[in-house]
C-alpha cells in the first residue's frame, strides 16, 4: 500500500508542478496594473505552492517508510 501511496504522491507532485508553471505563465501575461487580479492570482499560486510542499513532505515520509 505504501508503494501505491508513494506513486500517487509523485503523480500529484507532477500535476501541481505543472499547475504552478501555468500559473506563473498566467501571471506574466496578466495586466500588471490590475492589482486585484494579480493579487487573486498570487493567492492561487500560493495555495498551489503550499499544496506542493505538503505533497513533497508526504512523499518523503512514504519514501522513508519503504527504506
Amino acid at each position: 500500500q505504501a508503494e501505491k501511496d508513494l506513486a500517487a504522491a509523485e503523480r500529484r507532485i507532477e500535476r501541481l508542478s505543472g499547475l504552478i508553471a501555468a500559473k506563473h505563465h498566467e501571471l506574466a501575461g496578466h495586466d500588471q496594473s490590475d492589482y486585484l487580479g494579480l493579487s487573486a492570482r498570487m493567492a492561487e499560486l500560493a495555495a498551489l505552492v503550499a499544496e506542493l510542499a505538503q505533497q513533497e513532505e508526504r512523499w518523503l515520509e512514504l519514501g522513508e517508510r519503504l527504506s
Side-chain angles (χ1 to χ4, degrees):
Q1 180 64 33
E3 289 177 2
K4 288 182 182 180
D5 291 341
L6 185 65
E10 287 173 351
R11 287 190 303 274
R12 282 189 216 106
I13 288 169
E14 286 182 34
R15 182 182 62 81
L16 287 167
S17 295
L19 291 172
I20 289 168
K23 189 59 67 178
H24 278 289
H25 189 269
E26 184 181 329
L27 272 169
H30 192 81
D31 179 5
Q32 298 299 304
S33 65
D34 177 13
Y35 299 115
L36 291 177
L38 288 172
S39 177
R41 281 159 183 75
M42 286 299 295
E44 294 166 359
L45 177 61
L48 289 171
V49 169
E51 188 178 348
L52 176 62
Q54 192 175 39
Q55 286 301 319
E56 288 174 335
E57 186 175 321
R58 176 157 172 69
W59 180 80
L60 287 171
E61 290 171 359
L62 291 167
E64 287 176 3
R65 279 193 225 161
L66 290 173
S67 297

